[in-house]
Amino acid sequence: MDPINGGQARIMNSWLRRWLFTTYHKDIGLLYFVTSLWFGFIGSILALLIRTQLSVPGNTLLSPGSYDQAVTMHGLIMILWFLSPLAIGLANYFVPTQIGAADLALPRLNALGYWLYLAGGLMAALGFFMPGGNANSGWTSYAPLSSAQYSPGPGPTFAFAGLILLAVSITLGSVNFLLTIAYLRAPGMTFSKMPMFTWFIAFTMLQMLLAFPTLISALLMLMADRVIGTFYFTSSSGGALLWDQLFWFFGHPEVYVVLLPAFGVVAEILPVFSGRHLAERKVILGATALIVVPLSYLVWTHHMFITGINLSTQEVYSVSTLIISLPFDLIILAFIGTMTRGRISLKTPMLFAIGSILLFIIGGITGVFLSSFVLDVVFRGTYYVVAHFHYVMVGAAIFGLIGGIYYWLPKMTGRMYNERVGKVHFVLSFIGFNLLYFPMFFLIDMPRRYSTYPADAGWTGLNQLATVGAFIFALAQIGLVYNLVSTVRSGPIAPPNPWGAETLEWTSPVSEQPVSTGRDDNRMGGSGLWDSPLRAVLPIGTPHQNIGSSTGPILGMGAGGMPGGGTKGDYAHGAEHQSSRPVSLGLAAVVSVLGIGLLQYWYGLPVLFLGGAILAWTLVGWARDDLHGRFSIDELLGQRWPFHETVKLKLGMWIFLTTEVVVFGSILGSYLFIRSQVPYWPAPGSIHDIPLGLTNTLVLLTSSLTVVVAVHAIREGNQRLLLAGLCSTFILGAVFMGIKGSEWYQLFHLENAFNFTAGLPASVYYFTTGLHGAHVLAGMLVTLYLIKRTLNGGFSKENHFAVENFGLYWHFVDILWVFIFPLFYLI
Amino acid sequence: MLGVYLATVPPTVGIWSSLFNLYNVFGAIAAILVISYLVYNVVKYRRREGHDEAVEERGEEKVNWRKVLFTLAITSSVLFVVELQTFNSVPLIVPPQSSDPLNIGVVGHQWSWTFVYPNGDRLVGNLTVPAGRVVILNITSTDVTHSFAITGLDVAVDANAGRYNSLWFTAPDAGSTYTIRCKELCGVGHAFMTAKMTVVDQATFNAWIQSTGGKPGS
């Protein structure tokens, strides 16, 4: 074997291992960063197709069907696969370093989040290549247009399933970040000293935590409608309005989810480049925490002013929407006030930050227009709305995040970007942006999502201006790509803290901690020019660099590039910080979703089984890793946390259960909404067997008692009682599932089969109890793991937080049934 | 001339336009003030080459409560004024008490509008209304969600299956025509889901509706 080629293969292999199996926050940050830019590229191509189609009236470049897909996927990809993940990428990279943490609290969960995000995005993109095309009902996926009847085919199913994966990924991420920010701050990093970017990421994660579960619920119901034929959104008893309510309960907070990270970036950049402290820091934080975050859940109905909701509801939500503009007013004035009497250095990051503020002012003020439910009668569904939210989402959010990219690029790459190109990038972006979106404010009578328009409508000139602006804006982004690539390849070496910033990520104290040494020190040492993580992830670089003897660190493996040849070198935690399970779960998700989407064909079911098999194999592997302590970093515990702190670990479970409460809150809320809309509902006892249901309720509640016994036993150090408690819990869970199964079986074989497609009562019953049953099943699987670990002697008086956390979960599932039982059996 | 113009403005348009003008005035003033303040700061305090005087000490972090309250007071007052006017403009949505409104049913479906007259007549793609009379449309859908909008009359409401939403208007000029569009994505025919509205005088309307078989709308 040719030694050189063999070596190359080995390096390639290591390179693949690093990026597939990494759980290190900076690596995952870079994966998010690069992947989100790719999705941004796809979304931009779709945007240019849209603008080209609308450049002349009566254009036939895109068929109406293709146009609808382009519009739909442009929105979904840009908001959910580009904007938020770009922010999450920066957050992954910089939140731990800003607060002096070695990594995120749960590194493998973080990796899993990335792979689910990518899996979802690939599924959504795959939809374009399916017969019948991709989702085409707008990013809002209004029912019943998004149903199997009006959007048939595997494409939309892929897109919606992809959205579920994304939403799950984001939910996992929010648990992880909140836990990290709550407990992994370095000593002395008090909340009052915490950097603004981290603060705003915390706000963002809190918003995600409460908003995305509703999206998950809504999408699960939509998938049930599409795949097994339930009637949540297809019935004429309020199906369309139910989707509106659920979607916008997610959709409005989502606006702030997109916006707040950019505000965090701007709040970092402004003081640094003005040479002053951030003005009114406490006001900014207070306004966001006390008004923006909570109130964002109380304004969603302003998206529904003309859906036929009653007048007083419109008035209330109009006022709440106005109130939410007040904190933004304070924030913007504080931002501007920061510059007053400063010494403003107009470097590229600052230009983008200022651009972000300026464009947000326009986006925000037009938002006040839209809060008027009377004006909204005309604005709703027109280009005025399109202009408004692009000023917020592109203007404020993307300009801010691009500012963040320039700001942190020297930190991520160790090199400086080209300032002149950066400035040209900004100027062209700013001009292109305004030329693109400002004309749309005057297209008040042109409905959105029109695939074409007649020449006599009077919309041609404004549309052409917008199209010209779109191409200028798109071409300007070549500046960004040029700067990213050329900085990584050949930018001059950056000083450790080029901007004179005061936040922790620039002073890099992380080097004191073994877990996070590595590439930072390497770069700081000045000799590790090739070890830039960004370089390793970008498909660039000349061949001789890739095989050079001292260039191992380029590829992320080996320690040859370390000054002094330290073995803890570049990829400090190397193998023990890697796990193949997250990417394997991502694969399981892709294959399962493929199977679900293709169920209409004969091979759908086998593919779904294959996905299930990979999932089972991965979960077993993950459990075995834990049983054998293979993933040796104590997740969350790190080095500094003694075991008696494990009580705090419960916080993670509580945060997770919060998302579960929102998931089931949305589902039970939907039940109540449907009950309020349908004229007919079966009387108690007429379909469901009340004594049997009651028995099952008692079985499940008893299992809560056995869990209490188990938890108390191990708190006393009694392993045998723990084992007995866990086994009883498992058996009671199995009995519950058995009774449930027999109930379903009987209902299916009633004279008038009460099956999935037997009407709204059946839809709601099977969906709700089915999802609850899935939770019981998941709990039983965890019980099996705990039993195995108990048999291995894995729990002790001091170390048993897995049991404690399982206890919380199991109680939650039981309490849930206490709500479900009366709703379906008794009333 | 002006009087003629005013006389022919439909009431819904009058309400919407004057409200929009109010928002535009305050919105433009606010935008110009804040953006000017921003640009002024950027220009005034930008670092100049050659004037690299000693870096000013970073100021202590202190909340200027007076400024905060002042900002809130100004903004709230402006918001209060415009919101009050929005509340005063509710007649755009709520039909006036009219002794003699004309009720017409509207059914949206992929991808056309059907109009159901009081005499039971159903017409696809063509709405004829008498000039000067309060018209109330009761709008629904038989399939996906549509949104019914009359360009130039500033009225719109969603069409959902299984429920009726209504809107009202009065078209003052006989002989004028309007375009009806769908404002909610409803499938591939969304951009082509238009209808024509023709305004005729009451006598012509009565004659037309009788010729189609029924009695005049009442």
Side-chain angles (χ1 to χ4, degrees), chain B residues 57-76:
Chain B
E57 282 300 308
R58 288 169 194 249
E60 273 303 301
E61 184 187 337
K62 211 163 83 186
V63 175
N64 185 344
W65 288 109
R66 195 184 299 172
K67 195 171 139 194
V68 169
L69 289 178
F70 180 72
T71 309
L72 284 181
I74 294 280
T75 319
S76 311

Side-chain angles (χ1 to χ4, degrees), chain A residues 56-389:
Chain A
V56 286
N59 201 351
T60 54
L61 173 79
L62 294 178
S63 69
S66 309
Y67 183 87
D68 290 350
Q69 292 174 46
V71 158
T72 302
M73 296 315 292
H74 163 73
L76 285 173
I77 287 176
M78 284 304 207
I79 298 169
L80 295 165
W81 275 286
F82 167 52
L83 258 169
S84 273
L86 178 59
I88 292 174
L90 292 175
N92 244 295
Y93 204 101
F94 289 109
V95 163
T97 49
Q98 277 198 331
I99 60 174
D103 202 325
L104 284 173
L106 304 162
R108 282 180 298 178
L109 208 62
N110 192 23
L112 178 60
Y114 169 77
W115 291 110
L116 289 181
Y117 151 68
L118 180 63
L122 292 178
M123 294 320 295
L126 188 64
F128 281 115
F129 305 101
M130 292 294 116
N134 213 333
N136 54 14
S137 42
W139 87 276
T140 50
S141 309
Y142 270 13
L145 185 60
S146 53
S147 67
Q149 185 187 349
Y150 298 105
S151 302
T157 307
F158 284 165
F160 298 136
L163 271 176
I164 294 179
L165 296 180
L166 175 93
V168 170
S169 147
I170 284 182
T171 307
L172 296 178
S174 57
V175 174
N176 212 347
F177 271 96
L178 288 174
L179 201 55
T180 307
I181 294 170
Y183 285 132
L184 291 190
R185 281 168 291 121
M189 176 57 70
T190 57
F191 283 131
S192 61
K193 289 182 189 158
M194 206 162 82
M196 289 303 274
F197 179 65
T198 298
W199 262 116
F200 272 89
I201 290 298
F203 293 138
T204 307
M205 295 297 164
L206 194 61
Q207 297 246 275
M208 287 175 162
L209 186 76
L210 299 173
F212 274 82
T214 307
L215 180 67
I216 296 177
S217 300
L219 286 167
L220 285 176
M221 292 180 220
L222 180 61
M223 287 295 277
D225 280 6
R226 290 183 65 89
V227 177
I228 62 172
T230 54
F231 294 100
Y232 269 104
F233 303 120
T234 50
S235 85
S236 56
S237 302
L241 278 186
L242 175 62
W243 177 267
D244 288 4
Q245 300 277 7
L246 290 172
F247 183 84
W248 287 118
F249 185 81
F250 147 78
H252 196 82
E254 171 61 17
V255 175
Y256 301 117
V257 161
V258 167
L259 182 64
L260 292 183
F263 271 22
V265 170
V266 170
E268 292 285 346
I269 294 175
L270 281 179
V272 169
F273 289 84
S274 306
R276 299 193 71 220
H277 268 304
L278 186 63
E280 320 287 15
R281 174 185 150 103
K282 284 175 189 153
V283 174
I284 295 175
L285 290 177
T288 311
L290 299 177
I291 306 178
V292 173
V293 174
L295 205 58
S296 72
Y297 298 97
L298 299 173
V299 296
W300 82 91
T301 309
H302 70 222
H303 297 273
M304 300 172 57
F305 281 152
I306 66 166
T307 56
I309 54 171
N310 66 46
L311 185 61
S312 50
T313 311
Q314 297 184 41
E315 292 174 345
V316 168
Y317 282 92
S318 176
V319 171
S320 67
T321 306
L322 273 189
I323 293 173
I324 210 168
S325 68
L326 292 173
F328 285 112
D329 186 26
L330 291 177
I331 293 170
I332 290 302
L333 287 176
F335 282 170
I336 300 176
T338 302
M339 293 187 283
T340 309
R341 285 190 300 282
R343 291 170 72 272
I344 299 168
S345 163
L346 287 177
K347 292 271 172 30
T348 309
M350 186 63 169
L351 287 173
F352 274 98
I354 293 170
S356 167
I357 299 171
L358 199 155
L359 298 175
F360 181 77
I361 293 168
I362 297 172
I365 288 174
T366 50
V368 172
F369 284 50
L370 287 163
S371 76
S372 164
F373 55 94
V374 175
L375 289 183
D376 194 56
V377 167
V378 172
F379 290 149
R380 173 77 198 158
T382 68
Y383 270 86
Y384 192 91
V385 177
V386 176
H388 157 71
F389 71 69

Side-chain angles (χ1 to χ4, degrees), chain A residues 657-731:
Chain A
L657 290 181
T658 308
T659 71
E660 289 278 36
V661 168
V662 181
V663 165
F664 278 95
S666 312
I667 289 167
L668 295 181
S670 304
Y671 165 94
L672 295 174
F673 182 86
I674 289 169
R675 283 290 293 263
S676 76
Q677 300 279 323
V678 292
Y680 161 80
W681 202 264
S686 64
I687 290 183
H688 303 298
D689 187 342
I690 297 176
L692 192 60
L694 196 60
T695 312
N696 225 6
T697 307
L698 291 176
V699 168
L700 200 60
L701 290 183
T702 311
S703 75
S704 252
L705 288 180
T706 57
V707 166
V708 170
V709 168
V711 171
H712 276 277
I714 195 61
R715 279 186 193 159
E716 306 288 317
N718 186 340
Q719 299 201 14
R720 288 180 62 185
L721 191 55
L722 167 67
L723 194 62
L726 288 174
C727 289
S728 319
T729 306
F730 182 83
I731 293 167

Side-chain angles (χ1 to χ4, degrees), chain A residues 533-554:
Chain A
L534 194 57
R535 177 182 192 83
V537 81
L538 288 174
I540 52 174
T542 52
H544 76 271
Q545 289 168 336
N546 282 349
I547 42 173
S549 60
S550 66
T551 53
I554 302 175

Side-chain angles (χ1 to χ4, degrees), chain A residues 471-500:
Chain A
F471 277 92
I472 295 175
F473 188 55
L475 290 175
Q477 304 318 310
I478 292 174
L480 177 66
V481 175
Y482 171 85
N483 247 336
L484 284 177
V485 174
S486 73
T487 305
V488 172
R489 286 182 71 132
S490 56
I493 294 160
N497 186 357
W499 316 124

